[in-house]
Amino acid sequence: MKKFKSLVASALALTLLVGCSSGNGGTAASTGSESGASGGAKTYNVGVAIYQFDDNFMTLYRNELESYFKSLETDSVKYNVTIVDGKNDMAEQTNQVENFITQKMDVIILNLVQTSSADAVIDKVVAAGIPLVLINREPLGDNGDESYAGILDNANVCYIGADARQSGTFQGEIVAELPDKGDINGDGKISYVMIEGDPENVDAQYRTEYSVKALTDAGLKVECLDDQVGNWAQAKGQEIAANALTQYGDKVEVIFCNNDAMALGAAAAITAAGRTVGKDIYLLGVDALEECVEMVNNGEMTGTVLNDHVGQSHTAVDVAVKALNGEKIDNYYWVDYVKVTKK
Ligand code: BGC
């Protein structure tokens, strides 16, 4: 794990160098409770704290999480799942986790608002002897350094996610595999606009870095026209794309979006600017939201990358159940991304 952490640290140090930023312990197993209401079945109380309900991807994720818990219920085991909305406010989320502790949840699944607050929250949950499953936002040090190394080195704490370097690489590879390799105007370089997610989120950092790295690794020249933070939001993605298209016009050959929600916004801006994906511009996202997969198949998006919310949520639940049963859990579980291009 140390090795992974130092890889992470050096990759992030690299991001700082190459970024284009013109715009900007114990094994205490929970016992559950006997509940008369469920016919003598053992009922486990599960607290799930989501960073923000108003997020397309995390909505799919939390719905799948809830229904998968339901599907695992038997006559003798029930899961009483409480899901709360952190509203993208760390103070609010800290309160919610403290409430989970007071309510004596048997396991907590946590999608952090701020990964830099991870150590404080983890300490509280660990001190309460409750197993903790972190999802979607990997905790790293403020600067991606090793200052947080070891925070997951606890028998009852783990992180389940996908390695965002892979998703960025897939975005870049999709462009490099196009007949014109993304150089629509044939001037020898790929001129792109980057629309980033939440800058504190390692998914955003890695996708930004590795999408471009895949192009340069393929021996292609790149030019960053604009790089702005869209905070994962569709409306922001649309605004940033619209401004970039107004400012740079035909120069814009590729728009990379760190997620599909922002790509949906960018697609609207592309149409409004009278441009056509696949003809005079390329558009990339990540997540493989259903509507985006459809857009890829009918040519309105160049490609996306499946961020497997089903695999991740099922892994999170399976690991939570393991912890509830007092079984040993690992500190990290990784789920693969998958490239999505036109069928
Ligand atoms: C997803 C984004 C989402 C973010 C939330 C990312 O992995 O790709 O769509 O907004 O997670 O943390």
Side-chain angles (χ1 to χ4, degrees):
M1 199 186 70
K2 262 237 138 32
K3 193 169 161 215
F4 174 72
K5 286 287 170 192
S6 50
L7 255 177
V8 165
S10 45
L12 284 170
L14 201 68
T15 314
L16 295 175
L17 289 176
V18 301
C20 156
S21 54
S22 56
N24 54 46
T27 49
S30 301
T31 49
S33 55
E34 301 296 329
S35 158
S38 30
K42 182 178 273 188
T43 299
Y44 288 109
N45 293 312
V46 180
V48 182
I50 299 294
Y51 97 97
Q52 171 164 245
F53 279 9
D54 185 16
D55 177 299
N56 305 19
F57 176 74
M58 286 315 300
T59 299
L60 295 172
Y61 195 125
R62 80 183 138 91
N63 290 340
E64 190 59 38
L65 195 93
E66 196 171 19
S67 59
Y68 186 56
F69 261 120
K70 264 265 153 287
S71 76
L72 296 183
E73 288 192 329
T74 63
D75 287 344
S76 51
V77 180
K78 305 282 176 210
Y79 299 102
N80 180 17
V81 182
T82 306
I83 309 186
V84 293
D85 181 3
K87 302 194 181 107
N88 209 17
D89 177 342
M90 192 62 227
E92 167 106 21
Q93 188 173 65
T94 303
N95 274 335
Q96 292 170 337
V97 173
E98 282 166 354
N99 284 339
F100 282 165
I101 294 173
T102 315
Q103 292 160 7
K104 300 200 182 336
M105 289 295 177
D106 295 306
V107 65
I108 294 175
I109 298 179
L110 176 59
N111 173 214
L112 280 163
V113 170
Q114 253 172 21
T115 48
S116 53
S117 303
D119 59 343
V121 182
I122 291 171
D123 282 354
K124 286 185 187 171
V125 180
V126 168
I130 301 173
L132 177 63
V133 178
L134 295 157
I135 56 167
N136 172 259
R137 299 183 149 204
E138 189 191 355
L140 292 173
D142 281 340
N143 302 309
D145 60 22
E146 296 237 13
S147 56
Y148 285 79
I151 53 169
L152 295 189
D153 286 349
N154 184 293
N156 263 338
V157 181
C158 68
Y159 173 74
I160 285 128
D163 182 348
R165 289 171 287 197
Q166 196 183 32
S167 52
T169 303
F170 285 167
Q171 284 189 307
E173 284 177 1
I174 293 171
V175 173
E177 285 156 11
L178 291 166
D180 61 7
K181 299 182 181 352
D183 182 13
I184 297 171
N185 57 22
D187 66 352
K189 60 180 191 273
I190 302 157
S191 303
Y192 69 91
V193 170
M194 184 67 68
I195 306 184
E196 298 194 26
D198 168 5
E200 202 206 298
N201 190 317
V202 76
D203 285 4
Q205 296 164 9
Y206 279 151
R207 289 175 194 165
T208 299
E209 178 187 355
Y210 280 77
S211 50
V212 176
K213 186 175 182 298
L215 296 175
T216 52
D217 283 354
L220 301 166
K221 286 208 169 49
V222 294
E223 175 189 29
C224 177
L225 296 172
D226 203 358
D227 183 336
Q228 301 276 350
V229 171
N231 273 326
W232 304 123
Q234 182 167 341
K236 207 68 193 126
Q238 181 164 354
E239 184 190 315
I240 293 167
N243 287 342
L245 288 167
T246 304
Q247 193 173 349
Y248 300 102
D250 289 349
K251 275 182 148 184
V252 184
E253 296 173 305
V254 177
I255 300 186
F256 283 114
C257 300
N258 282 174
N259 76 348
D260 276 354
M262 297 188 295
L264 283 170
I270 287 170
T271 307
R275 305 281 294 270
T276 311
V277 171
K279 203 171 130 235
D280 56 30
I281 195 161
Y282 296 118
L283 174 64
L284 286 299
V286 175
D287 283 337
L289 298 180
E290 212 176 294
E291 55 267 58
C292 292
V293 174
E294 241 171 65
M295 287 168 73
V296 170
N297 284 329
N298 64 31
E300 293 166 85
M301 268 179 75
T302 312
T304 181
V305 180
L306 171 69
N307 190 2
D308 184 3
H309 68 274
V310 175
Q312 290 174 65
S313 57
H314 289 202
T315 307
V317 172
D318 289 340
V319 172
V321 169
K322 261 187 154 194
L324 287 171
N325 291 333
E327 289 170 42
K328 191 181 168 313
I329 58 170
D330 294 336
N331 289 126
Y332 285 95
Y333 294 85
W334 298 108
V335 175
D336 271 333
Y337 283 101
V338 183
K339 226 183 251 186
V340 179
T341 51
K342 195 171 180 162
K343 268 196 231 139

